[in-house]
């Protein structure tokens, strides 16, 4: 898939916030997690680059023990938007069956 410049920027932004850790902190997370929302809404979630970054987000969330994002309702966004629940993932309280298959092994293996 040939990605346009705006798609590439989204992926770079997602990579940056994972690397810098902004998505793992209470006050910062809500602003940055919307990048992953947009990636999903544009249908880019199955790209190999996104899958790699998602796996890294899971590993890092567990490593740094991610905070819950400020003002998140427990069901809004829905649990299937796993990136909004990195705190539950870090605590191993997120239902593994709700994760995409490509992330389940990472989730179950990391930190155990």
């Amino acid at each position: 898939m040939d990605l346009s410049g705006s798609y590439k920027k989204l992926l770079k932004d997602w990579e940056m916030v994972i690397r810098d850790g902004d998505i793992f902190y209470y006050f910062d997370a809500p602003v940055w997690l919307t990048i992953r929302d947009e990636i999903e809404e544009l249908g880019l979630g199955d790209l190999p680059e996104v899958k790699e970054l998602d796996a890294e987000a899971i590993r890092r969330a567990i490593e740094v023990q991610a905070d819950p994002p400020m003002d998140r309702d427990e069901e809004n966004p829905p649990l299937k938007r796993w990136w909004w629940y990195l705190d539950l993932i870090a605590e191993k309280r997120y239902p593994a069956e709700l994760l995409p298959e490509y992330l389940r092994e990472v989730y179950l293996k990391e930190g155990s």
Side-chain angles (χ1 to χ4, degrees):
M1 173 183 217
D2 185 28
L3 296 178
S4 74
S6 62
Y7 292 172
K8 286 180 185 177
K9 180 174 178 356
L10 267 178
L11 299 186
K12 282 303 235 184
D13 288 348
W14 184 230
E15 178 181 22
M16 178 198 67
V17 298
I18 292 167
R19 183 187 63 236
D20 294 348
D22 293 335
I23 61 170
F24 306 118
Y25 301 108
Y26 179 77
F27 289 110
D28 298 334
V31 172
W32 297 108
L33 291 169
T34 58
I35 293 169
R36 186 58 179 81
D37 286 338
E38 194 169 347
I39 288 169
E40 193 68 16
E41 288 158 13
L42 291 170
L44 304 174
D46 287 330
L47 291 175
E49 304 96 301
V50 173
K51 288 181 175 184
E52 271 183 48
L53 292 171
D54 289 349
E56 183 61 21
I58 298 276
R59 285 190 287 274
R60 294 257 316 161
I62 293 168
E63 177 186 320
V64 302
Q65 288 297 292
D67 296 333
M70 183 176 68
D71 296 332
R72 176 193 68 205
D73 293 334
E74 284 308 310
E75 290 297 324
N76 191 14
L79 277 172
K80 68 179 182 165
R81 291 199 175 223
W82 59 265
W83 51 94
W84 281 92
Y85 298 91
L86 293 169
D87 58 311
L88 298 182
I89 288 170
E91 296 169 2
K92 297 294 187 137
R93 294 189 311 121
Y94 188 85
E97 65 274 7
L98 294 180
L99 286 170
E101 195 171 317
Y102 70 93
L103 293 176
R104 281 184 209 142
E105 184 177 337
V106 174
Y107 172 64
L108 294 171
K109 185 175 122 181
E110 288 296 314
S112 50

